[in-house]
Amino acid sequence: MTVADAAKESSTNVKAAVGAVSHAGVPTHFTMTEDEIIAKFPNRLRSYDLFKKMGSPRHIVAPMVDQSELAWRILSRRYGADLCYTPMFHAKLFSDDNPKYRNEQWQTNDEEKPVIVQFCANDPDILLKAAKLVVGQADAVDLNLGCPQRIASRGHYGSFLMEDWDLISRLIRKLHENLEIPVTAKIRVYEDVEKTVAYAKMVEAAGAQIITVHGRLREQKGHKTGLADWDKIKAVKAAVKVPVFANGNILYYEDIQRCMDATNADGVMSAESNLYNPALFSGKILPTWQMAEEYLEICKDIPTRFGYIRAHMFKLFRYSLPIHTDLRQQLGTAKSLEDFRSFVEEMKSRLIEDSKKEDAMVFDPENVEIDALGYRKYPHWICQPALRFEHDKVHSQSKRLLNEALVENATEKPTSDSAETPSCECVSKDTSESDPKRLKISVE
């Protein structure tokens, strides 16, 4: 079935999936027409008007639990990020009368624009209550429909709502009919492109003004992450009228344009690759200690939880800590901003010495060597994506890396038999081990 055929068929699928409908074929929870909504919120931006007001963003930092906090968003913007999402917030905790969770999690300032606040939820009224608390501070509110982690299964949110299109439609529609700022959504894909397109069109019909498509299945996580399917993102983009952001398979700066060319997406979102290389969107190749120093300088002015700082340090120095193992303990026990600065100063001193050793890798940023699988050979003191081996012995004949799979699947539909370096809106902490051949990463 072609993309056009899928889009045509999807209207029937949507009606069947969103519960009770009126005689006119409109879901009964659509209590207002689009004209009535426009009259109620005449100044609220829609679709490409919202996209343009936010500067037509191409480079987007993903929502990441405990990782896309204000200080990190500021750093990312310095290096080419056009739009940032907050971490995923739990709508019920965020809207609680006790503001402790909200005050701990939500930070912004007058200079942070544009920013989209993401919530996970399964109750439309609670979602609306939480969303109203960020009106005037955020450009839009995003509904998380992509989190694949076990906690999302237990809490019945994220990608575990994918079987309940009626609830998803009601969540989005509640905001679309009652919130002063736009609602957007971040989704995953299904096995079938037809169902994926129908799903996206349902989300659009409910009122989502931007859709981010993470081109992986819910099951694609951990060692079964595999490649994101850009073909499905392209099919969604062809079928909907609102802007589409593509998410998945971004390792290097050049991958951004490659993704946009392959999917026709309006922008590209990065999660884990941004954490290991916050300069990703600038195309600059920078030393890890420079990023760490800049981040800590920002944290002097922006109060940031030490757990967040520690996780960022573990990721930035992911390739150096297995070499300078004694510094792992220093980082793990840091209890103040000064402790973190001392750690970075010591690590910087050692890495500079590493770069001067006779057997040190000769590194020319203008002429980076490429290995047999297409990966760039960077010394351990340079910001770079976290690569890991595939450990799915059932589907993999050998330990295979992402770019090997990309070469093999250049003219084929990507499958989950390939390894990759994922990243995830649900990553909350670094649990890396000292073995540099087994890097633990989450799903993008």
Side-chain angles (χ1 to χ4, degrees):
M1 178 179 289
T2 66
V3 170
D5 291 336
K8 183 177 180 180
E9 182 180 296
S10 66
S11 61
T12 302
N13 295 338
V14 169
K15 292 176 184 177
V18 294
V21 296
S22 68
H23 291 299
V26 178
T28 55
H29 59 267
F30 283 30
T31 64
M32 302 174 66
T33 66
E34 288 301 315
D35 287 342
E36 290 170 336
I37 294 171
I38 292 172
K40 183 177 181 179
F41 301 111
N43 297 320
R44 190 178 70 186
L45 297 175
R46 301 165 64 90
S47 188
Y48 278 95
D49 289 334
L50 171 64
F51 179 72
K52 292 173 183 176
K53 180 66 183 305
M54 293 193 297
S56 301
R58 287 169 47 96
H59 304 154
I60 301 116
V61 173
M64 295 173 284
V65 173
D66 294 349
Q67 298 283 261
S68 59
E69 84 287 353
L70 177 58
W72 192 259
R73 298 195 299 268
I74 291 173
L75 178 65
S76 298
R77 290 179 194 276
R78 288 182 181 178
Y79 290 93
D82 302 317
L83 167 65
C84 295
Y85 284 61
T86 67
M88 179 189 74
F89 300 142
H90 193 292
K92 188 176 188 304
L93 297 175
F94 195 92
S95 62
D96 194 89
D97 292 337
N98 183 343
K100 183 175 184 295
Y101 173 88
R102 183 167 66 252
N103 292 340
E104 288 180 347
Q105 299 290 324
W106 168 227
Q107 289 178 291
T108 189
N109 58 31
D110 294 337
E111 299 175 3
E112 194 199 16
K113 290 290 183 178
V115 63
I116 294 179
V117 176
Q118 189 187 70
F119 290 106
C120 65
N122 56 28
D123 183 301
D125 292 325
I126 290 175
L127 176 60
L128 177 61
K129 183 180 178 182
K132 281 185 171 294
L133 294 172
V134 301
V135 170
Q137 297 177 294
D139 292 87
V141 164
D142 188 74
L143 177 62
N144 182 308
L145 298 171
C147 182
Q149 307 299 341
R150 186 177 303 174
I151 191 172
S153 174
R154 293 198 301 267
H156 191 53
Y157 59 81
S159 67
F160 294 92
L161 299 183
M162 290 175 73
E163 285 77 31
D164 194 345
W165 288 19
D166 179 63
L167 175 56
I168 290 173
S169 181
R170 287 190 289 113
L171 287 164
I172 295 172
R173 194 68 184 187
K174 189 73 173 184
L175 299 191
H176 187 49
E177 293 187 358
N178 297 280
L179 189 65
E180 294 87 341
I181 56 178
V183 57
T184 66
K186 186 172 189 289
I187 67 173
R188 283 190 172 234
V189 300
Y190 293 90
E191 287 275 7
D192 298 328
V193 66
E194 295 89 347
K195 188 172 184 179
T196 298
V197 167
Y199 180 45
K201 287 182 71 66
M202 176 274 293
V203 167
E204 178 188 36
Q209 302 304 306
I210 294 174
I211 300 174
T212 299
V213 184
H214 181 176
R216 293 189 178 88
L217 309 174
R218 180 175 63 200
E219 295 75 21
Q220 286 182 272
K221 59 182 179 179
H223 72 279
K224 295 182 179 179
T225 299
L227 286 170
D229 191 336
W230 285 355
D231 287 341
K232 289 176 183 172
I233 300 176
K234 181 178 182 179
V236 169
K237 171 61 182 171
V240 301
K241 295 182 175 62
V242 298
V244 171
F245 296 152
N247 182 206
N249 297 350
I250 304 300
L251 296 182
Y252 306 110
Y253 177 75
E254 291 75 14
D255 293 333
I256 298 167
Q257 189 60 52
R258 191 166 62 87
C259 178
M260 295 187 73
D261 291 342
T263 63
N264 297 320
D266 299 281
V268 172
M269 177 180 284
S270 175
E272 198 89 8
S273 290
N274 162 262
L275 296 180
Y276 287 91
N277 178 17
L280 170 71
F281 288 131
S282 70
K284 295 180 179 179
I285 302 173
L286 299 173
T288 52
W289 67 77
Q290 178 179 330
M291 295 291 91
E293 287 178 332
E294 285 195 47
Y295 174 67
L296 291 181
E297 279 300 306
I298 295 170
C299 291
K300 286 172 57 178
D301 300 321
I302 305 295
T304 305
R305 298 176 73 177
F306 294 152
Y308 302 170
I309 297 175
R310 194 182 332 275
H312 284 304
M313 294 299 106
F314 268 112
K315 287 182 171 62
L316 285 173
F317 295 109
R318 182 62 187 87
Y319 286 99
S320 298
L321 283 168
I323 297 171
H324 299 283
T325 55
D326 59 308
L327 294 185
R328 179 179 291 275
Q329 178 70 15
Q330 182 179 347
L331 175 56
T333 57
K335 297 180 179 178
S336 68
L337 198 57
E338 186 57 40
D339 287 345
F340 286 111
R341 281 201 292 263
S342 296
F343 160 78
V344 172
E345 287 173 5
E346 178 61 24
M347 179 64 85
K348 175 182 178 180
S349 175
R350 295 194 191 186
L351 298 185
I352 290 175
E353 287 301 313
D354 287 348
S355 69
K356 295 178 180 178
K357 292 178 180 178
E358 289 185 9
D359 60 348
M361 175 181 175
V362 177
F363 179 64
D364 177 6
E366 301 300 322
N367 187 26
V368 178
E369 185 179 352
I370 307 296
D371 69 15
L373 298 178
Y375 289 104
R376 300 176 185 185
K377 291 185 177 182
Y378 291 135
H380 64 87
W381 57 86
I382 293 294
C383 290
Q384 57 195 283
L387 309 177
R388 70 175 173 86
F389 290 106
E390 176 63 72
H391 292 281
D392 185 354
K393 296 180 181 179
V394 175
H395 297 94
S396 184
Q397 295 293 326
S398 60
K399 294 178 180 178
R400 303 167 62 199
L401 294 171
L402 173 61
N403 279 22
E404 179 184 15
L406 284 173
V407 171
E408 292 180 1
N409 293 310
T411 59
E412 301 174 7
K413 180 180 177 180
T415 72
S416 60
D417 294 346
S418 316
E420 87 114 346
T421 76
S423 36
C424 165
E425 70 271 23
C426 302
V427 60
S428 60
K429 61 182 180 179
D430 186 286
T431 54
S432 307
E433 301 175 2
S434 59
D435 180 0
K437 293 182 180 179
R438 294 193 63 180
L439 310 184
K440 176 170 174 47
I441 10 196
S442 343
V443 236
E444 183 174 275

